[in-house]
Amino acid sequence: MSKHCQSCAMPLKKVEDRGTEKNRQRSTKYCKYCYQDGEFVQKDFTVEDMKELVKEKMMEMGFPKFLASLYVRKIHRLERWK
């Protein structure tokens, strides 16, 4: 089971943070914001779109821009983007 979403890198600390498969079981790889009912929510996203979204969300949460930029640098290495 992944400790971080393999689409956006969000920490998956709680079961409720995980997305759902078609059979309603919790995903072992993806968060609830990226993956629902066995499909990606942002189907047409590129890795660059995801990096921008994550950076914006982190800054909304109060993270400094430089930290948000550092955090998204490795998103392209996650399973969804390989």
Side-chain angles (χ1 to χ4, degrees):
M1 210 177 263
S2 296
K3 292 183 180 182
H4 291 85
C5 177
Q6 293 299 299
S7 177
C8 71
M10 179 180 116
L12 298 173
K13 294 180 182 178
K14 302 176 194 166
V15 172
E16 303 85 51
D17 293 338
R18 295 181 177 276
T20 55
E21 299 293 347
K22 285 190 185 293
N23 63 6
R24 294 290 188 207
Q25 287 188 341
R26 293 292 177 163
S27 173
T28 59
K29 299 178 186 176
Y30 303 109
C31 76
K32 63 185 177 183
Y33 303 109
C34 290
Y35 198 73
Q36 295 174 5
D37 297 321
E39 295 183 9
F40 289 109
V41 175
Q42 311 94 344
K43 294 176 184 155
D44 299 328
F45 259 32
T46 66
V47 69
E48 293 305 320
D49 293 333
M50 184 60 75
K51 286 180 179 182
E52 193 59 36
L53 176 67
V54 170
K55 193 184 319 183
E56 287 173 14
K57 293 292 181 189
M58 288 182 73
M59 290 188 311
E60 284 175 17
M61 294 169 58
F63 287 89
K65 187 175 183 176
F66 80 94
L67 276 182
S69 295
L70 283 175
Y71 190 81
V72 302
R73 281 184 25 204
K74 295 184 180 180
I75 284 181
H76 69 278
R77 294 183 185 165
L78 297 173
E79 192 171 318
R80 178 180 181 183
W81 309 111
K82 288 185 180 180

